[in-house]
Amino acid sequence: MTAKGTFETAGWTPQPPYDERDGITLGVVTLTKTFSGDLTGTSLVTMLVATTPVEESRSYVALERIEGTLHGRAGSFVVQHDATSDNGAQTLRIRVVADSGTDELRGLRGEMAIAIGPDGGHSYTFDYTL
């Protein structure tokens, strides 16, 4: 199945870097999201972020617990993010952590894609099985 919709982010909270040397910074950021569309609900995201002296080269990994309703089924699940920007060439993979689904979302598997529109708005496409 495929779920589509939009989301908004809020509460972007960077912690002080835990390692900074040679122009490379390692840090932690937390934020929340509110989802609309086929997936409705909220999430808490915790990111580990690496920045380099080259502005277009950076990376993050994150865990995100999403609570809400997916095509009418209530529960929660966790997704794992793996993102890089190599001199501006970007990759992003967001996949459901196996067996992290609860309640009516038990057994959920899948991958999510995120797009950022010209106006800065965020949308998602979530291909999943349940």
Side-chain angles (χ1 to χ4, degrees):
M1 298 193 69
T2 299
K4 294 183 177 185
T6 61
F7 67 91
E8 295 182 11
T9 63
W12 181 273
T13 308
Q15 305 299 315
Y18 65 86
D19 188 13
E20 247 182 325
R21 52 190 143 126
D22 302 322
I24 300 165
T25 302
L26 304 178
V28 177
V29 175
T30 58
L31 64 131
T32 59
K33 292 181 184 174
T34 302
F35 291 88
S36 302
D38 297 326
L39 169 62
T40 59
T42 59
S43 72
L44 174 62
V45 184
T46 303
M47 305 173 125
L48 294 175
V49 181
T51 60
T52 71
V54 177
E55 188 173 329
E56 291 93 16
S57 293
R58 58 183 163 254
S59 136
Y60 83 85
V61 294
L63 291 174
E64 175 178 9
R65 182 186 301 273
I66 300 170
E67 296 182 84
T69 304
L70 176 61
H71 280 133
R73 295 176 180 254
S76 68
F77 59 98
V78 176
V79 293
Q80 176 181 324
H81 298 235
D82 181 7
T84 60
S85 178
D86 181 349
N87 242 347
Q90 298 181 353
T91 61
L92 173 62
R93 185 171 185 200
I94 304 171
R95 60 189 176 278
V96 174
V97 173
D99 298 313
S100 67
T102 67
D103 301 322
E104 295 177 309
L105 299 178
R106 288 189 191 286
L108 181 69
R109 301 289 192 273
E111 292 203 23
M112 185 180 290
I114 292 175
I116 301 174
D119 63 351
H122 293 78
S123 63
Y124 67 86
T125 301
F126 184 28
D127 293 319
Y128 71 93
T129 60
L130 189 60

